[in-house]
Amino acid sequence: MTDLTPADDAFADRLRTRLPDAAFRDLTPGYLEEPRGLFQGGEGLLVAPGTTDEVAEVVRACAEARVGIVPYGGGTGLVGGQIMEDGPRPVILSLERLTRVRGVYPAENVAIVEAGVILADLQAAALAEDRLFPLSLASEGSARVGGVLSTNAGGVNVLRYGNTRELCLGLEAVLPDGSIWHGLKRLRKDNTGYDLRGLMIGAEGTLGIITAATMRLFPRPARTGTALFAVESPAAALDLLALAGARIGQGISAFELMSGEGPRFLFETDCPARCPMDPIPEWSVLIDLGLGAGDDPDEALTGLFEAALEAGLVSDGVIAQSEAQRSALWQMREEIPEANRRIGSVSSHDISLPLSSIPDFLDRARQAVAKVGDFRINAFGHLGDGNLHYNIFPAAGVARAEVMDRRAEVAEAVYDLVAGMEGSFSAEHGVGRLKVGDLERYGDPAKLAAMRAIKTALDPKGIMNPGVMLRDR
Amino acid sequence: MTDLTPADDAFADRLRTRLPDAAFRDLTPGYLEEPRGLFQGGEGLLVAPGTTDEVAEVVRACAEARVGIVPYGGGTGLVGGQIMEDGPRPVILSLERLTRVRGVYPAENVAIVEAGVILADLQAAALAEDRLFPLSLASEGSARVGGVLSTNAGGVNVLRYGNTRELCLGLEAVLPDGSIWHGLKRLRKDNTGYDLRGLMIGAEGTLGIITAATMRLFPRPARTGTALFAVESPAAALDLLALAGARIGQGISAFELMSGEGPRFLFETDCPARCPMDPIPEWSVLIDLGLGAGDDPDEALTGLFEAALEAGLVSDGVIAQSEAQRSALWQMREEIPEANRRIGSVSSHDISLPLSSIPDFLDRARQAVAKVGDFRINAFGHLGDGNLHYNIFPAAGVARAEVMDRRAEVAEAVYDLVAGMEGSFSAEHGVGRLKVGDLERYGDPAKLAAMRAIKTALDPKGIMNPGVMLRDR
């Protein structure tokens, strides 16, 4: 980063000669904030190219002058990948004008969209052709396709449909030398060289800028069903997942675990959603089914509940009988992050573990955190994927400021345990600028060396999203 | 390649001091042949390490001495990736002793296996735990896990379960400097750095040697069904695929298109399998279903046939009523490559196309080939994936030798058409040494430049499978 040149007025003037005026926008404060407020400030020259060729022009200009580029999608990332707080003033390259849906091919279950398309708009474009684009996450109303690709976003439907990487068949991208890779093929199979697609996905903008993508669509499930089951324990939740898999197979679209703190936090913070069970169960599971026209989701969920009751896995259950009830159940799940935000976490962890280790992890993590101090833990997440959002809060009545000095200690306790149990310190949020040190600490040394070699090979000037994923050296 | 040092007797002697005797085996002729006889000969020092550490020791020795390494799995690859016909004598590094199943985790639907495990043995290990490992291809009795990973193999179940890359959660690999990457995590989500897993998969041994892998397993479908439907045309086959998708959803495990030449070739070459329909249909589709316990595959296939008949898509159909009938239908499909081999192709093409372009491609390709000369075409393959094996044979009664001089012209006609229709010249077989020129001709220049940069960064001495995928320079 120290070698980079600031995007100063002279650079901006030169860039203006190479791009239409519409590409230049005012840098409002929103571009320098992120959802959790962990990163803010810095500066930048905001550029919003309208075409792939314009993106390439920006990258070439930056490569020539050795100016850093911070790619900017919807600004919803949780690890600071979109905010460069210090270092020479970068170009902030926003995708906001690359919003064309280039084509929807329902017969092929494929859509080609530009990187600035908002996730919810891609979902709507699929729906308009009676297809499903299954990626679904809390920030889908703001997150852009380029961002979800660059972070390999997850969400609630990974269990059935895979992460973003599995949903992408091809990419168009501008590489760090300004060349354009035209890889937007609509092919399910194409073994003609290294998997540059997979490499660019999840690279968090450090290897180039994704400008468009060929995304997979799916037939819409004809019938859907949603239920909330109170389970005896996380181990019972895992057994319920296995039971559901044996009975319903690939029809399970989501399988979300919630601890009792989630619904209690909703109440405490005046979030509108409420748990329909009284008392609030210490552990519950939200299940979503998507079935064929000949199947009855209500029957499937009732049958599952009865079998689970007989096996001693569940103690209570609510099966949605209307779209309104279905929404209410999901609203409860979806408002938990907002409730967490209102309470204010000491430390938040997006972790994954081998599926069968999760009950043991929850026990051991609770003990490890208790050793550091008196905290409340809200554990919830995508149990079907082994992915927990493990968030730690001050004890009731304790102000956040009073315990924030324990943050590093808490985080270390959690991550050391995760690493010892062969888990991951970042399941779906990525590394960004927040977890660079964690990657160095917990990452495999041979993999890290390979990553550095790849980064240097593809971006020798180090202009692409400096400081993200790998430390500047 | 010109910079490489031969693995001469002095090198072999030095290597013997670093490895147990069991790692050294005689180089029998089988290691220097491949299924189609397009590549044969060369030479090599055969080494079969028994552990990952021994693999690393071999790689370090080769890196120090700058000796080339040809990784060798089951020897079933179809593009010459396992045969180096010329250049300085390499080490042939066989996976044949890395055959441990390190663990099967049925509750997690995961198995960890070493790279020398034969594909059929992995299928059996999964079956022993009542799980399915879905990768299935003609050479599964010989192909090894390291080979199917390195070529990102496809096969008949990709439609439902994905290519090999999608079936792999983690890798252990020896990188070209001899370091070991320990990446065997059993995680569905892990966004902690570049997708080195995806990059190594399909790299055909040019970026390192995969020594073990974490593979995904699936619940076994409770009920299966198989049918052969005679379809009016390839376009009708596509409509049938859409109809089946709408009616049966994710229960379709395979959807294979066959032209009439396939069954006719079986008869002509005295292969045992026979088409159960008389006359042999000009186009037919083999469908495999895997359904839940509550579903009836016979009913699903009968319903599909009736709906397709009403829509004018099919004219005849056979629904297997026993496991023996099911095997007989699949035997017909699986013997077609052997019949092709017995007849002897002028040119074979493993291509993929956007799904909706396939009928148009088949028309145009027939015309393009006819312009070159009088040939027979056997087109068959994985229609659900847009993947055709498009094989061209001498006209009936014409000896192969008489027309082999047209091979290049035929291939060019086919590949130019594929490229013009945004298809791929290698859907599932890879590039190997056979298609290096095709990759240069049809590959995207920016992607090729990125591939070369990655290869140079990770394997600066150029020792890993020299001449595969990228030309030595």
Side-chain angles (χ1 to χ4, degrees):
Chain A
M1 193 139 58
T2 43
D3 301 349
L4 294 177
T5 304
D8 56 16
D9 290 348
F11 177 81
D13 289 344
R14 289 202 305 278
L15 200 56
R16 282 181 185 276
T17 67
R18 298 167 71 160
L19 291 172
D21 287 347
F24 296 89
R25 301 203 157 185
D26 285 341
L27 184 70
T28 52
Y31 291 97
L32 302 173
E33 297 165 0
E34 47 84 46
R36 289 181 181 160
L38 296 173
F39 293 82
Q40 49 194 325
E43 46 177 352
L45 170 63
L46 182 65
V47 184
T51 66
T52 302
D53 284 338
E54 288 177 25
V55 174
E57 194 64 35
V58 176
V59 174
R60 276 193 296 270
C62 290
E64 288 160 16
R66 207 157 184 163
V67 166
I69 300 174
V70 177
Y72 195 92
T76 62
L78 295 170
V79 289
Q82 71 276 42
I83 312 266
M84 186 168 139
E85 286 177 308
D86 43 38
R89 186 183 192 224
V91 163
I92 298 174
L93 194 156
S94 171
L95 305 174
E96 66 200 65
R97 293 180 62 228
L98 295 169
T99 55
R100 279 170 289 269
V101 175
R102 293 199 191 158
V104 180
Y105 305 82
E108 299 179 15
N109 281 316
V110 160
I112 299 183
V113 293
E114 294 187 348
V117 169
I118 288 175
L119 178 50
D121 292 339
L122 172 51
Q123 294 166 347
L127 193 61
E129 299 284 351
D130 196 31
R131 291 294 182 276
L132 173 73
F133 181 69
L135 187 69
S136 176
L137 32 87
S139 59
E140 63 197 23
S142 313
R144 297 182 191 270
V145 166
V148 298
L149 283 162
S150 291
T151 56
N152 186 31
V156 297
N157 290 330
V158 172
L159 175 64
R160 179 166 183 168
Y161 298 101
N163 288 295
T164 306
R165 187 177 283 119
E166 279 84 52
L167 300 176
C168 176
L169 297 174
L171 292 180
E172 176 190 89
V174 175
L175 302 182
D177 63 357
S179 62
I180 301 172
W181 167 37
H182 298 281
L184 281 181
K185 289 193 170 170
R186 315 197 309 268
L187 305 174
R188 305 277 158 167
K189 287 179 169 176
D190 182 17
N191 276 346
T192 55
Y194 298 157
D195 184 22
L196 195 57
R197 177 198 58 86
L199 186 64
M200 292 290 295
I201 296 172
E204 303 184 11
T206 64
L207 299 179
I209 295 173
I210 294 168
T211 52
T214 308
M215 304 303 293
R216 294 180 67 185
L217 306 180
F218 293 82
R220 288 178 63 204
R223 304 194 58 188
T224 53
T226 302
L228 181 73
F229 289 174
V231 293
E232 296 297 318
S233 64
L238 270 187
D239 289 344
L240 179 65
L241 175 64
L243 187 66
R247 293 178 65 95
I248 305 168
Q250 291 177 301
I252 308 163
S253 301
F255 197 95
E256 300 282 305
L257 180 73
M258 286 181 284
S259 73
E261 292 292 14
R264 285 194 289 270
F265 280 13
L266 292 174
F267 183 79
E268 183 174 332
T269 60
D270 288 326
C271 282
R274 286 290 173 269
C275 178
M277 295 179 194
D278 184 19
I280 287 172
E282 217 34 62
W283 293 101
S284 61
V285 166
L286 183 63
I287 306 174
D288 224 43
L289 302 187
L291 303 177
D295 300 313
D296 183 342
D298 196 64
E299 197 179 290
L301 289 166
T302 306
L304 176 64
F305 181 77
E306 284 166 3
L309 195 65
E310 195 169 325
L313 304 176
V314 298
S315 58
D316 196 359
V318 173
I319 299 174
Q321 297 300 316
S322 65
E323 196 52 41
Q325 285 182 14
R326 190 170 181 236
S327 296
L329 289 177
W330 271 104
Q331 192 191 354
M332 182 178 61
R333 166 65 183 84
E334 284 165 357
E335 282 183 3
I336 288 176
E338 172 60 17
N340 287 345
R341 200 189 60 75
R342 291 185 188 182
I343 292 196
S345 74
V346 178
S347 182
S348 302
H349 309 280
D350 163 42
I351 57 175
S352 63
L353 291 150
L355 209 53
S356 51
S357 305
I358 283 184
D360 190 28
F361 168 81
L362 287 168
D363 281 346
R364 291 168 65 182
R366 180 170 289 278
Q367 292 167 29
V369 170
K371 270 193 200 160
V372 179
D374 185 16
F375 296 100
R376 292 191 288 178
I377 297 168
N378 186 9
F380 65 105
H382 319 298
L383 184 68
D385 313 317
N387 179 192
L388 294 176
H389 298 301
Y390 195 81
N391 296 356
I392 294 152
F393 300 84
V398 176
R400 191 181 179 213
E402 285 177 42
V403 289
M404 276 307 276
D405 60 328
R406 319 300 297 273
R407 178 190 176 86
E409 209 180 334
V410 167
E412 192 176 306
V414 173
Y415 286 151
D416 282 355
L417 183 60
V418 168
M421 296 180 77
E422 300 186 78
S424 167
F425 65 85
S426 188
E428 55 179 14
H429 294 169
V431 176
R433 291 179 174 85
L434 182 64
K435 299 186 178 177
V436 171
D438 298 314
L439 182 58
E440 289 171 351
R441 180 179 176 127
Y442 300 109
D444 178 82
K447 178 176 173 181
L448 276 168
M451 285 174 58
R452 289 192 187 103
I454 291 167
K455 168 72 175 177
T456 304
L458 296 183
D459 181 19
K461 295 182 178 176
I463 60 171
M464 291 306 313
N465 221 359
V468 162
M469 205 172 286
L470 297 169
R471 201 177 295 273
D472 290 301
R473 20 176 64 213
Chain B
M1 193 140 59
T2 42
D3 300 349
L4 294 177
T5 305
D8 56 17
D9 291 349
F11 177 81
D13 289 345
R14 290 201 305 278
L15 200 56
R16 281 180 185 279
T17 66
R18 297 167 72 162
L19 291 172
D21 288 346
F24 296 88
R25 300 203 158 185
D26 286 341
L27 184 70
T28 52
Y31 291 97
L32 302 174
E33 296 164 1
E34 48 84 46
R36 289 180 180 160
L38 296 173
F39 292 81
Q40 48 194 325
E43 47 177 354
L45 170 65
L46 182 64
V47 183
T51 65
T52 301
D53 284 338
E54 288 177 25
V55 174
E57 194 65 35
V58 176
V59 173
R60 276 194 294 272
C62 290
E64 289 160 15
R66 207 158 185 163
V67 166
I69 299 173
V70 177
Y72 195 91
T76 62
L78 295 170
V79 288
Q82 71 275 42
I83 311 266
M84 185 168 140
E85 286 177 307
D86 44 37
R89 186 184 193 225
V91 163
I92 297 174
L93 194 157
S94 171
L95 306 175
E96 66 199 64
R97 292 180 62 227
L98 295 169
T99 54
R100 279 170 289 269
V101 175
R102 293 198 191 161
V104 181
Y105 306 82
E108 298 179 15
N109 281 315
V110 160
I112 299 183
V113 294
E114 294 187 349
V117 169
I118 288 174
L119 176 51
D121 292 339
L122 172 51
Q123 293 167 346
L127 193 61
E129 299 285 350
D130 196 30
R131 290 295 182 277
L132 172 73
F133 181 69
L135 187 70
S136 175
L137 32 86
S139 59
E140 63 197 25
S142 312
R144 297 182 191 271
V145 165
V148 298
L149 283 162
S150 290
T151 56
N152 186 29
V156 297
N157 291 331
V158 172
L159 175 64
R160 179 165 183 167
Y161 298 101
N163 288 295
T164 306
R165 188 177 283 120
E166 280 84 51
L167 300 176
C168 176
L169 296 175
L171 291 179
E172 176 190 89
V174 175
L175 301 183
D177 63 357
S179 63
I180 300 173
W181 168 38
H182 298 280
L184 281 181
K185 289 192 170 171
R186 314 195 310 267
L187 305 174
R188 306 276 157 166
K189 287 179 170 176
D190 183 16
N191 277 346
T192 55
Y194 298 157
D195 184 23
L196 196 57
R197 178 200 58 85
L199 186 64
M200 293 290 296
I201 296 171
E204 304 184 10
T206 64
L207 299 179
I209 295 173
I210 294 169
T211 53
T214 308
M215 305 303 292
R216 294 180 67 185
L217 306 180
F218 293 82
R220 288 179 65 204
R223 304 195 58 190
T224 53
T226 302
L228 181 73
F229 290 173
V231 291
E232 297 297 317
S233 64
L238 271 187
D239 289 344
L240 179 65
L241 175 64
L243 187 66
R247 294 177 65 96
I248 306 168
Q250 290 177 299
I252 308 165
S253 302
F255 196 95
E256 300 282 307
L257 180 72
M258 288 182 284
S259 71
E261 292 293 14
R264 285 194 289 270
F265 281 13
L266 293 172
F267 183 79
E268 185 176 329
T269 60
D270 289 327
C271 282
R274 288 289 173 270
C275 178
M277 294 179 194
D278 185 18
I280 289 171
E282 216 37 60
W283 292 100
S284 61
V285 166
L286 184 64
I287 305 173
D288 224 44
L289 302 187
L291 302 178
D295 300 313
D296 183 342
D298 196 63
E299 196 179 290
L301 288 167
T302 305
L304 177 63
F305 181 77
E306 284 165 3
L309 194 65
E310 194 168 325
L313 305 176
V314 299
S315 59
D316 196 0
V318 173
I319 298 174
Q321 297 300 318
S322 66
E323 197 51 43
Q325 284 181 15
R326 191 172 179 235
S327 295
L329 289 178
W330 271 105
Q331 192 190 354
M332 183 178 59
R333 166 64 184 84
E334 284 165 357
E335 282 182 4
I336 288 175
E338 172 61 18
N340 287 345
R341 200 190 60 75
R342 291 184 188 180
I343 291 195
S345 74
V346 178
S347 183
S348 302
H349 309 279
D350 163 42
I351 58 175
S352 63
L353 291 150
L355 210 54
S356 51
S357 305
I358 283 185
D360 190 27
F361 168 79
L362 287 167
D363 281 345
R364 291 169 65 182
R366 181 171 287 280
Q367 291 165 31
V369 171
K371 270 192 200 159
V372 179
D374 185 16
F375 296 100
R376 293 190 289 177
I377 298 168
N378 187 10
F380 65 105
H382 319 299
L383 185 68
D385 313 316
N387 178 193
L388 295 176
H389 299 300
Y390 194 82
N391 296 357
I392 294 153
F393 299 85
V398 176
R400 189 180 180 215
E402 285 178 41
V403 288
M404 277 305 276
D405 61 329
R406 320 300 298 273
R407 178 188 176 87
E409 208 180 335
V410 167
E412 194 176 305
V414 173
Y415 286 150
D416 282 355
L417 183 60
V418 167
M421 296 179 76
E422 300 186 78
S424 168
F425 65 86
S426 189
E428 56 179 15
H429 294 170
V431 176
R433 291 178 175 85
L434 181 64
K435 298 186 177 178
V436 171
D438 298 314
L439 182 57
E440 289 171 351
R441 179 178 177 129
Y442 300 109
D444 177 82
K447 177 175 173 180
L448 277 168
M451 286 174 59
R452 289 193 187 103
I454 291 167
K455 168 72 176 177
T456 303
L458 296 182
D459 181 20
K461 295 182 177 175
I463 61 171
M464 290 308 312
N465 221 359
V468 163
M469 207 172 288
L470 296 168
R471 201 177 295 273
D472 290 302
R473 20 178 62 212

